[in-house]
Amino acid sequence: KPSYSRWPATIAVHCAQFIGCQRLPENLSKTMGKKSRSKKGGGQSAANKLERKEKLKQRREQQLEQAESAPDDDYERPYFVGDRVWFIDRESFGEGDNPLMYRGIVKAVDEETLAVTPLQWKFDGRDDRTVRVWKQNAFLDFADMTLRFEVGDRVVCCAETGWDPYTVDYLWPVSEIEPQSINNPIGPLPMYKCGPLTAQHDEDFIIREHPLTFRLKTGQKAVLNTTKAIAIGSNNYVHFELGSGELWIEGTVTSLDVTGLAYYYAVYECAYEHNGRQYKCHITRDVDEHIAKIDGDPRSRLLESIEQDCSRNHLKHLAKEHDIDVSIFRDLVIAKAIHFASYDALCWLQFDCDMHVQHVIDPQGNTLLHQIAMHPHALRFIKTLGKIELNELRVEERLEVRLHCRLNNNRKSWLEILVDRGNIKALDAALSPNQGLGWSLARKSLLNDEALRLLQDAIKKSRDNVMQMILDSFVKFRTTSQRCSQCMDEVPTEKESEDVLLEDTLLPLKGGKAEQNAQLIARFYSDWGPASKGRFGCDPATIMRLGYSELFILFWKADARIFKNLDFWMISRENREEFCQPELADIEGRGNVHDNRKLRPDLLTFILCGDPFTTPFASVCSVEVYLRRNYLQKVIRMSRGFREQKQMTDTEHDLLHTLATYLRAETAENNNIYCRDHEQFLKYKLNLLTGDDTVEGRIKILDHLLRVEPQFKAKVKFSFVLDCIRYRQTRFLEYLIEQCYVKPTDMASINRDVHKVASKFTFLKDGNIPKDVSVRTLLCYACVQFDDLQSLAWICTTDGALLVTCNGWNLLTFASYLGRVEIVAYLYTRNQAFDSLVKTRCQRKPYDNTYAAHIAASRGHLILAEALLEMDCPATDRKGKTLESYAKMSEHEFVRAWVSERVSEREKPQALDRMIKKLFKFLSSDSATTEKKKKYIIDSKCLEEQVWKDGEIYWHNEKTPSGFTFSQVLAQCYRGEGPEFALWLCTQTYFLSCNRGYYSLGDDYFWRTDKATPDTFNIEEWAQFKIEETLVVAREYNQDDLVRFLSKPWRPKGQLFQLEYRTKRDVIFRSINVESEHIGWVKAFFDRAIILEQMARVRFSYKIFKELISRGCHPDELKIAHNFGKQIKALVLAEDYSDSDRLYDFNMKYYQSGYNEEHPLLKVFPFCYYMTSHWLSQLHYYLAIEHHTSLLEYCLRNFEGWSAKMEIEVVQIAAYYNHTDILDIFVLDPQFGGFLTNHATRVQSLFTGLVVRG
């Protein structure tokens, strides 16, 4: 370490900052003091000395804050009994030619040494002997047990002089390195010693096989692949040199086995001619894809290419170029691809030749992996799969190879077959995490305990020591990786409590060996995290974001580096204006979560913010404007109700509790919110108000760090307290105040930490803090700025805290300036404080002498401005200006449109009055005949419900400015007319409103019996008629058509008929005041019109339709019902009660109920990917599943709405259930035409259903 005493003071300061010193040495501070006193003007006043001392203290604190945590130079890797290690010890190392003598198993661990049994001794049965090795001479063995080449193999290696031939002298020359340089699986471990060379990678770019024989001879003619051949002199591919686009050219082999080249080893040197000139090139691989005999047979070339594991593109080229029909020798080519374990060949067969090989199972129950394991080239396929798993190899299309260890008919997995065949290298690659498949097989879902036990038995039976070592290493890796995943899974499937985990799956992390097991898991993560290339799926940050405090403390003690070295990320919880005026919401990052809100925080900030999956992604910011507006208006109504309740009775709860209760009810599982984004929006708000179940755990984690790590405690300044509000983490704010990290009663102006962040406060003038402002006041205004309602409610427990002003603002005017609707609603429930705030004018320029409503309107917060007026905020400012005056000057178009709308709304009631007066004048004129009255009433639109709503009249008995009501207008229209006119007037008024759009229950209360608005529409208030009673009335008034329709056999006797919109019908009928002798007739035919219209609509007609199909009726009955619907529709249209768009059309889109999520079809391919019980209940599904063949055929011939997808699904389901008569219609019936799919497609669908069935 440097000696600061010999350095100049200024250099020492800069160096201390650079290397991250935690504090300056005493001798340095003394030197600095002496130097400053020796300067001119050393006789400084006491005030100057104090100021200088304070600045020096601040500088030291800044250095402490900016300093990185000290590097873990003293970290010592822990070793445990059972570890497999490499070691360098001359007693066992010998000449280095036997790697089993310098890799072994740890048997004992002490402070400085390890007792290791070399693998050779273990294999020889001398397991009791050990070698004592210094820890600095040992390192963990992450390597596989086998390599591609053996001692004595001919190879060519990349040396400084080029690619030269060598022979492998010995394997694993670990004596060539410093042991401590190997600290993880991707360290530079040497694998081969070839003469003077050491190869650190077992890949073709470093070392490759040196062939003894060659396919071609010198002077032989050949065809060369220009995209693979390398032009001599330029090192470019020949394809680029030619520039002609030729893929293959003719050439002559001029030389074999070309070594000594700088960048590659060439199997052949070839000459070719282009544009009359001779050129030469190199061929790097002796395979058909690179070079082929000029007169080679195409079919032989294809089969040879499969043996050589050529690419899929090359196989496609051969088949297309030479027009090879692979189906002729289908079995041969499949057997070839499996025997030589060619992944590319199998992809070519699966995706290009339409031969289904990926899910093939032979009569012995062998899957594709079983069959490949039976052949000598299995290693080739397994390594390719591993590279794909590690994302080292990109393929155009990926085979769906089922890695799970399914047992064949002999109860053997594909891994056991490798053992039985003695294929050690393939087994090593399959179970190796380095090769890729080890990560997949470590999951219990792929290699369950039974399959693992059978594999252990097979290896034990084989008595192969190397295989046993491979399996032992894999079992240890599997166990540790599963434990690591259980507590560090990046995306846990479901949140379990820490206590449950420690009592169940993570029991080893509790008890006497908890610390050792934590060290083992921490070491595993440190070793394998970087080496897994994304396959690990573990992140220690999960422990922090889920608040697992006991696990965090345990792992922090085991190895704090796994947390300190993390690269954290989170989606910020800071305000995005989600809960302000919807048109002003911060939606710049809509649809993109990777915007500037994605933060890279430090450790403390990550603990503060917690789970990123509870923070707002793009979907939260993309909620429709009207849904946001509805929410804000609901909050305002809630505050009014709460204030009224508070005035009548004392309540121990506040508005936050009421709001949270509402949000829980809205987001409950049984509450069907039709908009997913809206649901996430409400859940996010609930999370902000109440926090999540990880908060207390994260508090404990923070508390532990602040107690045991001084560098973290130094970082908890006022800026961190402000972050608690900015990220809306109230519970952390409570903790910091309770632990006195910030004192609300202090004056803010004397706290230098507050001054550092003062520029962030928009309520201050240029960051200047008034002398009379406390820290509590500053925090209150910060809560408004960052829209933290929960923290504001916690801080402001007294009304006095709410009434403090700051730089001309009060809390209400500042909240109105920012559009904080929820905060204003909360303030409204603080009765006395709000009554004072709302009458106080703002003193902050440019809003001086204005009230909160005017500020909100000028800023575009219209919902808030209107609400403030209803909260008794003065409508005019000191100069008499209204809200509209301020809104007119807004830069936002929607605000100026709002002004125009408010002006026009004042004129709408007068316009309605003029329309009514004009109608009354015509009705009283002598020229008003009955027919003219009808026409004028319709043209005037005075009986249309929407016209009254447009005139700001929302209830039928509400009066216009001239005193007219809807009921009075109806009565005036009927005056002087007879019963036929009364019936026309009733039906016209009733259906005028119904036909203007979809009319749903509870949407409209214009016809309610009183003005008070109920929360829900009571279905029990519908008019209910028994069918028999309705028939009596119909027969009495000779309504033959109604009698005929209600007498159909599918309508059970005594069943109730519900008449919708009863209050509307009653209001219309009462308003007309029909003479007593005509009341019965008018009412009967009025009800007839309504009943017929409802019978022609979806809800009524579909009940009949569904009831018939559900009981498996005869097609003739269905035909009668079908015709019945058409007749009713025609009658309703003829009598002009409704339009055709609102009448039932008997198409295929409606549903038959009765299925649940346990239906067998929902568990099999392909239905499980996109189907639910709701969609499964579509008509065509129901008919196919329930085997209603005749009904299905009738619907197919007569109903509209069929699609090609429906036909395919019916065939698949019929094949699945073996409904052969349905299959006859779709596949075999030559007479039936009009299908939307072709015959081949339906046959393919049949096979799909059969395969799914098994």
Side-chain angles (χ1 to χ4, degrees), residues 440-469:
S440 299
L441 293 174
R443 298 197 297 267
K444 281 190 176 181
S445 59
L446 296 183
L447 181 61
N448 57 36
D449 293 338
E450 181 190 7
L452 181 61
R453 179 182 56 79
L454 292 174
L455 180 61
Q456 289 172 327
D457 292 343
I459 291 178
K460 185 177 181 181
K461 184 179 178 181
S462 72
R463 297 185 179 182
D464 189 296
N465 292 318
V466 177
M467 284 189 180
Q468 187 65 55
M469 183 57 56

Side-chain angles (χ1 to χ4, degrees), residues 325-543:
D325 186 0
V326 184
S327 62
I328 298 175
F329 52 104
R330 179 181 185 277
D331 293 343
L332 174 62
V333 75
I334 291 177
K336 219 36 156 169
I338 292 176
H339 180 85
F340 288 93
S342 174
Y343 187 92
D344 279 88
L346 289 168
C347 283
W348 169 64
L349 292 172
Q350 176 72 35
F351 303 115
D352 302 310
C353 302
D354 200 22
M355 297 183 186
H356 300 287
V357 296
Q358 58 186 356
H359 298 150
V360 64
I361 299 178
D362 69 9
Q364 287 74 43
N366 294 309
T367 65
L368 179 63
L369 278 176
H370 281 91
Q371 296 177 50
I372 287 175
M374 295 175 183
H375 295 97
H377 298 278
L379 177 62
R380 172 190 289 174
F381 188 84
I382 291 171
K383 282 197 170 186
T384 303
L385 275 185
K387 289 181 179 179
I388 294 173
E389 289 287 309
L390 290 176
N391 296 319
E392 292 178 353
L393 179 64
R394 303 286 182 179
V395 291
E396 183 180 348
E397 289 176 282
R398 183 170 176 174
L399 286 175
E400 294 179 7
V401 180
R402 296 170 180 174
L403 290 175
H404 64 276
C405 293
R406 172 176 171 167
L407 304 182
N408 62 12
N409 297 348
N410 296 325
R411 293 192 54 76
K412 289 182 180 291
S413 67
W414 64 276
L415 292 173
E416 289 179 73
I417 292 176
L418 293 177
V419 173
D420 292 345
R421 290 184 56 83
N423 198 336
I424 298 176
K425 291 187 178 183
L427 180 70
D428 197 12
L431 299 181
S432 166
N434 296 310
Q435 303 283 359
L437 289 190
W439 292 99
S440 299
L441 293 174
R443 298 197 297 267
K444 281 190 176 181
S445 59
L446 296 183
L447 181 61
N448 57 36
D449 293 338
E450 181 190 7
L452 181 61
R453 179 182 56 79
L454 292 174
L455 180 61
Q456 289 172 327
D457 292 343
I459 291 178
K460 185 177 181 181
K461 184 179 178 181
S462 72
R463 297 185 179 182
D464 189 296
N465 292 318
V466 177
M467 284 189 180
Q468 187 65 55
M469 183 57 56
I470 291 171
L471 182 63
D472 291 344
S473 299
F474 171 75
V475 170
K476 186 174 181 180
F477 168 83
R478 176 176 180 262
T479 302
T480 311
S481 69
Q482 287 177 2
R483 289 178 182 173
C484 194
S485 296
Q486 285 159 355
C487 54
M488 299 183 188
D489 195 353
E490 284 182 329
V491 187
T493 52
E494 62 180 81
K495 170 73 165 60
E496 290 187 275
S497 70
E498 187 175 26
D499 294 336
V500 171
L501 282 175
L502 290 174
E503 292 295 338
D504 185 14
T505 55
L506 295 179
L507 188 60
L509 291 175
K510 191 173 183 179
K513 291 189 176 181
E515 291 188 7
Q516 177 180 327
N517 288 325
Q519 284 184 320
L520 184 63
I521 294 174
R523 188 189 70 177
F524 180 85
Y525 175 80
S526 297
D527 291 340
W528 287 104
S532 67
K533 301 177 184 176
R535 294 290 301 168
F536 196 7
C538 291
D539 186 0
T542 302
I543 296 174

Side-chain angles (χ1 to χ4, degrees), residues 18 220 256 267 278 425 497 557 850 883 1130:
F18 177 74
Q220 189 171 355
L256 307 178
V267 183
Q278 289 288 328
K425 291 187 178 183
S497 70
K557 185 176 180 181
T850 61
L883 259 65

Side-chain angles (χ1 to χ4, degrees), residues 571-575 609 614-615 684 687-688 727-729:
I571 305 295
S572 174
R573 286 167 55 103
E574 61 187 306
N575 171 48
C609 293
T614 62
T615 53
Y684 174 54
N687 182 269
L688 291 178
Y727 298 124
R728 298 185 270 199
Q729 295 285 355

Side-chain angles (χ1 to χ4, degrees), residues 677-696:
D677 289 345
H678 185 212
E679 181 183 8
Q680 294 300 319
F681 175 78
L682 296 180
K683 283 184 177 180
Y684 174 54
K685 184 61 200 180
L686 179 63
N687 182 269
L688 291 178
L689 286 178
T690 61
D692 54 52
D693 52 2
T694 69
V695 171
E696 294 304 323

Side-chain angles (χ1 to χ4, degrees), residues 1205-1240:
K1205 180 174 179 289
M1206 289 179 178
E1207 293 177 359
I1208 291 172
E1209 289 168 339
V1210 167
V1211 175
Q1212 288 175 347
I1213 293 172
Y1216 180 82
Y1217 285 104
N1218 197 28
H1219 297 331
T1220 55
D1221 46 357
I1222 295 179
L1223 295 175
D1224 288 345
I1225 297 172
F1226 283 83
V1227 180
L1228 299 180
D1229 187 358
Q1231 304 299 323
F1232 194 92
F1235 285 113
L1236 300 173
T1237 54
N1238 58 45
H1239 185 263

Side-chain angles (χ1 to χ4, degrees), residues 1169-1182:
Y1169 288 113
Y1170 64 90
M1171 193 65 63
T1172 65
S1173 61
H1174 176 67
W1175 291 104
L1176 188 61
S1177 299
Q1178 292 180 82
L1179 178 59
H1180 69 291
Y1181 286 126
Y1182 177 78

Side-chain angles (χ1 to χ4, degrees), residues 165 263 298 326 397 410 474 488 551 601 678-679 719 725 808 834 839 903 935 1114:
Y263 302 109
V326 184
E397 289 176 282
N410 296 325
F474 171 75
M488 299 183 188
L551 287 176
H678 185 212
E679 181 183 8
S719 60
I725 297 175
F834 182 85
K839 301 297 182 183
V903 173
K935 185 178 185 308
H1114 191 274

